[in-house]
PDB file of all heavy atoms in Angstrom:
ATOM      1  N   ASN A 901      90.126 101.726 100.669  1.00 98.00           N
ATOM      2  CA  ASN A 901      91.285 101.695 101.586  1.00 98.00           C
ATOM      3  C   ASN A 901      91.976 103.032 101.769  1.00 98.00           C
ATOM      4  O   ASN A 901      93.076 103.136 101.723  1.00 98.00           O
ATOM      5  CB  ASN A 901      92.335 100.600 100.967  1.00 98.00           C
ATOM      6  CG  ASN A 901      91.794  99.230 100.944  1.00 98.00           C
ATOM      7  OD1 ASN A 901      91.896  98.589  99.824  1.00 98.00           O
ATOM      8  ND2 ASN A 901      91.187  98.797 102.014  1.00 98.00           N
ATOM      9  N   LEU A 902      91.188 103.988 102.009  1.00 98.00           N
ATOM     10  CA  LEU A 902      91.662 105.423 102.072  1.00 98.00           C
ATOM     11  C   LEU A 902      92.349 105.694 103.386  1.00 98.00           C
ATOM     12  O   LEU A 902      91.940 105.154 104.450  1.00 98.00           O
ATOM     13  CB  LEU A 902      90.542 106.402 101.937  1.00 98.00           C
ATOM     14  CG  LEU A 902      90.952 107.854 101.928  1.00 98.00           C
ATOM     15  CD1 LEU A 902      91.691 108.252 100.739  1.00 98.00           C
ATOM     16  CD2 LEU A 902      89.728 108.796 102.186  1.00 98.00           C
ATOM     17  N   LYS A 903      93.558 106.226 103.246  1.00 98.00           N
ATOM     18  CA  LYS A 903      94.312 106.543 104.421  1.00 98.00           C
ATOM     19  C   LYS A 903      94.759 108.098 104.444  1.00 98.00           C
ATOM     20  O   LYS A 903      95.458 108.419 103.480  1.00 98.00           O
ATOM     21  CB  LYS A 903      95.586 105.785 104.622  1.00 98.00           C
ATOM     22  CG  LYS A 903      95.329 104.300 104.838  1.00 98.00           C
ATOM     23  CD  LYS A 903      96.600 103.493 104.891  1.00 98.00           C
ATOM     24  CE  LYS A 903      96.294 101.977 105.140  1.00 98.00           C
ATOM     25  NZ  LYS A 903      97.540 101.163 104.974  1.00 98.00           N
ATOM     26  N   THR A 904      94.120 108.762 105.259  1.00 98.00           N
ATOM     27  CA  THR A 904      94.485 110.300 105.427  1.00 98.00           C
ATOM     28  C   THR A 904      95.176 110.510 106.777  1.00 98.00           C
ATOM     29  O   THR A 904      94.489 110.344 107.808  1.00 98.00           O
ATOM     30  CB  THR A 904      93.307 111.126 105.094  1.00 98.00           C
ATOM     31  OG1 THR A 904      92.669 110.728 103.870  1.00 98.00           O
ATOM     32  CG2 THR A 904      93.788 112.606 105.022  1.00 98.00           C
ATOM     33  N   TYR A 905      96.358 110.907 106.794  1.00 98.00           N
ATOM     34  CA  TYR A 905      97.130 111.361 107.997  1.00 98.00           C
ATOM     35  C   TYR A 905      97.408 112.731 108.090  1.00 98.00           C
ATOM     36  O   TYR A 905      97.607 113.434 107.112  1.00 98.00           O
ATOM     37  CB  TYR A 905      98.311 110.502 108.028  1.00 98.00           C
ATOM     38  CG  TYR A 905      98.239 108.908 107.946  1.00 98.00           C
ATOM     39  CD1 TYR A 905      99.365 108.221 107.794  1.00 98.00           C
ATOM     40  CD2 TYR A 905      96.966 108.249 108.038  1.00 98.00           C
ATOM     41  CE1 TYR A 905      99.275 106.778 107.818  1.00 98.00           C
ATOM     42  CE2 TYR A 905      96.851 106.903 108.009  1.00 98.00           C
ATOM     43  CZ  TYR A 905      98.067 106.207 107.903  1.00 98.00           C
ATOM     44  OH  TYR A 905      97.901 104.839 107.756  1.00 98.00           O
ATOM     45  N   TYR A 906      97.522 113.236 109.416  1.00 98.00           N
ATOM     46  CA  TYR A 906      98.051 114.623 109.676  1.00 98.00           C
ATOM     47  C   TYR A 906      99.501 114.260 110.268  1.00 98.00           C
ATOM     48  O   TYR A 906      99.539 113.531 111.321  1.00 98.00           O
ATOM     49  CB  TYR A 906      97.192 115.276 110.709  1.00 98.00           C
ATOM     50  CG  TYR A 906      95.820 115.597 110.038  1.00 98.00           C
ATOM     51  CD1 TYR A 906      94.719 114.829 110.397  1.00 98.00           C
ATOM     52  CD2 TYR A 906      95.743 116.774 109.240  1.00 98.00           C
ATOM     53  CE1 TYR A 906      93.494 115.258 109.794  1.00 98.00           C
ATOM     54  CE2 TYR A 906      94.446 117.050 108.756  1.00 98.00           C
ATOM     55  CZ  TYR A 906      93.347 116.246 109.076  1.00 98.00           C
ATOM     56  OH  TYR A 906      92.225 116.583 108.460  1.00 98.00           O
ATOM     57  N   PHE A 907     100.429 114.939 109.701  1.00 96.00           N
ATOM     58  CA  PHE A 907     101.888 114.657 110.133  1.00 96.00           C
ATOM     59  C   PHE A 907     102.371 115.941 110.947  1.00 96.00           C
ATOM     60  O   PHE A 907     102.119 117.025 110.449  1.00 96.00           O
ATOM     61  CB  PHE A 907     102.738 114.525 108.925  1.00 96.00           C
ATOM     62  CG  PHE A 907     102.416 113.199 108.212  1.00 96.00           C
ATOM     63  CD1 PHE A 907     101.547 113.231 107.232  1.00 96.00           C
ATOM     64  CD2 PHE A 907     103.160 112.099 108.518  1.00 96.00           C
ATOM     65  CE1 PHE A 907     101.372 112.049 106.443  1.00 96.00           C
ATOM     66  CE2 PHE A 907     102.907 110.928 107.806  1.00 96.00           C
ATOM     67  CZ  PHE A 907     101.940 110.905 106.904  1.00 96.00           C
ATOM     68  N   SER A 908     102.935 115.701 112.196  1.00 92.00           N
ATOM     69  CA  SER A 908     103.605 116.855 112.849  1.00 92.00           C
ATOM     70  C   SER A 908     104.962 116.324 113.082  1.00 92.00           C
ATOM     71  O   SER A 908     105.360 115.122 112.844  1.00 92.00           O
ATOM     72  CB  SER A 908     102.885 117.212 114.121  1.00 92.00           C
ATOM     73  OG  SER A 908     103.105 116.189 115.089  1.00 92.00           O
ATOM     74  N   ARG A 909     105.813 117.180 113.654  1.00 92.00           N
ATOM     75  CA  ARG A 909     107.245 116.696 113.898  1.00 92.00           C
ATOM     76  C   ARG A 909     107.231 115.557 114.875  1.00 92.00           C
ATOM     77  O   ARG A 909     108.101 114.714 114.638  1.00 92.00           O
ATOM     78  CB  ARG A 909     108.029 117.934 114.485  1.00 92.00           C
ATOM     79  CG  ARG A 909     109.042 118.432 113.537  1.00 92.00           C
ATOM     80  CD  ARG A 909     109.819 119.641 114.013  1.00 92.00           C
ATOM     81  NE  ARG A 909     109.135 120.425 115.026  1.00 92.00           N
ATOM     82  CZ  ARG A 909     109.649 120.803 116.140  1.00 92.00           C
ATOM     83  NH1 ARG A 909     110.776 120.200 116.600  1.00 92.00           N
ATOM     84  NH2 ARG A 909     108.998 121.429 117.008  1.00 92.00           N
ATOM     85  N   LYS A 910     106.355 115.605 115.778  1.00 92.00           N
ATOM     86  CA  LYS A 910     106.530 114.516 116.809  1.00 92.00           C
ATOM     87  C   LYS A 910     105.569 113.318 116.634  1.00 92.00           C
ATOM     88  O   LYS A 910     105.960 112.233 117.107  1.00 92.00           O
ATOM     89  CB  LYS A 910     106.043 115.171 118.177  1.00 92.00           C
ATOM     90  CG  LYS A 910     107.099 116.034 118.756  1.00 92.00           C
ATOM     91  CD  LYS A 910     106.769 116.226 120.222  1.00 92.00           C
ATOM     92  CE  LYS A 910     107.710 117.159 120.945  1.00 92.00           C
ATOM     93  NZ  LYS A 910     106.999 118.104 121.775  1.00 92.00           N
ATOM     94  N   ASN A 911     104.439 113.481 115.868  1.00 94.00           N
ATOM     95  CA  ASN A 911     103.638 112.321 115.768  1.00 94.00           C
ATOM     96  C   ASN A 911     102.810 112.310 114.449  1.00 94.00           C
ATOM     97  O   ASN A 911     102.857 113.370 113.713  1.00 94.00           O
ATOM     98  CB  ASN A 911     102.619 112.125 117.006  1.00 94.00           C
ATOM     99  CG  ASN A 911     102.170 113.475 117.341  1.00 94.00           C
ATOM    100  OD1 ASN A 911     101.713 114.177 116.544  1.00 94.00           O
ATOM    101  ND2 ASN A 911     102.356 113.808 118.616  1.00 94.00           N
ATOM    102  N   VAL A 912     102.086 111.223 114.267  1.00 97.00           N
ATOM    103  CA  VAL A 912     101.175 111.004 113.009  1.00 97.00           C
ATOM    104  C   VAL A 912      99.863 110.766 113.554  1.00 97.00           C
ATOM    105  O   VAL A 912      99.522 109.848 114.385  1.00 97.00           O
ATOM    106  CB  VAL A 912     101.779 109.880 112.175  1.00 97.00           C
ATOM    107  CG1 VAL A 912     100.807 109.651 111.003  1.00 97.00           C
ATOM    108  CG2 VAL A 912     103.179 110.054 111.697  1.00 97.00           C
ATOM    109  N   ILE A 913      98.880 111.542 113.083  1.00 97.00           N
ATOM    110  CA  ILE A 913      97.482 111.254 113.409  1.00 97.00           C
ATOM    111  C   ILE A 913      96.880 110.578 112.259  1.00 97.00           C
ATOM    112  O   ILE A 913      96.715 111.165 111.176  1.00 97.00           O
ATOM    113  CB  ILE A 913      96.674 112.502 113.711  1.00 97.00           C
ATOM    114  CG1 ILE A 913      97.187 113.080 115.069  1.00 97.00           C
ATOM    115  CG2 ILE A 913      95.166 112.247 113.880  1.00 97.00           C
ATOM    116  CD1 ILE A 913      96.597 114.390 115.601  1.00 97.00           C
ATOM    117  N   LYS A 914      96.399 109.239 112.545  1.00 97.00           N
ATOM    118  CA  LYS A 914      95.788 108.548 111.474  1.00 97.00           C
ATOM    119  C   LYS A 914      94.282 108.824 111.430  1.00 97.00           C
ATOM    120  O   LYS A 914      93.470 107.989 111.907  1.00 97.00           O
ATOM    121  CB  LYS A 914      96.034 107.091 111.608  1.00 97.00           C
ATOM    122  CG  LYS A 914      97.585 106.812 111.310  1.00 97.00           C
ATOM    123  CD  LYS A 914      97.883 105.280 111.522  1.00 97.00           C
ATOM    124  CE  LYS A 914      99.318 105.138 111.272  1.00 97.00           C
ATOM    125  NZ  LYS A 914      99.736 103.634 111.486  1.00 97.00           N
ATOM    126  N   ALA A 915      93.848 109.999 110.844  1.00 98.00           N
ATOM    127  CA  ALA A 915      92.494 110.517 111.044  1.00 98.00           C
ATOM    128  C   ALA A 915      91.437 109.518 110.264  1.00 98.00           C
ATOM    129  O   ALA A 915      90.373 109.452 110.668  1.00 98.00           O
ATOM    130  CB  ALA A 915      92.503 111.962 110.593  1.00 98.00           C
ATOM    131  N   VAL A 916      91.955 109.206 109.026  1.00 98.00           N
ATOM    132  CA  VAL A 916      91.134 108.242 108.253  1.00 98.00           C
ATOM    133  C   VAL A 916      92.120 107.092 107.997  1.00 98.00           C
ATOM    134  O   VAL A 916      93.093 107.238 107.329  1.00 98.00           O
ATOM    135  CB  VAL A 916      90.628 108.845 106.895  1.00 98.00           C
ATOM    136  CG1 VAL A 916      89.923 107.779 106.096  1.00 98.00           C
ATOM    137  CG2 VAL A 916      89.566 110.001 107.220  1.00 98.00           C
ATOM    138  N   ASP A 917      91.673 105.958 108.609  1.00 97.00           N
ATOM    139  CA  ASP A 917      92.707 104.759 108.641  1.00 97.00           C
ATOM    140  C   ASP A 917      92.057 103.621 107.964  1.00 97.00           C
ATOM    141  O   ASP A 917      91.436 102.787 108.455  1.00 97.00           O
ATOM    142  CB  ASP A 917      93.093 104.528 110.049  1.00 97.00           C
ATOM    143  CG  ASP A 917      94.409 103.726 110.145  1.00 97.00           C
ATOM    144  OD1 ASP A 917      95.050 103.426 109.098  1.00 97.00           O
ATOM    145  OD2 ASP A 917      94.714 103.256 111.277  1.00 97.00           O
TER     146      ASP A 917
END
Side-chain angles (χ1 to χ4, degrees):
N901 302 127
L902 183 70
K903 295 180 180 171
T904 306
Y905 299 171
Y906 293 100
F907 293 89
S908 75
R909 246 179 333 124
K910 286 194 186 144
N911 42 51
V912 180
I913 291 176
K914 299 181 175 178
V916 171
D917 198 6

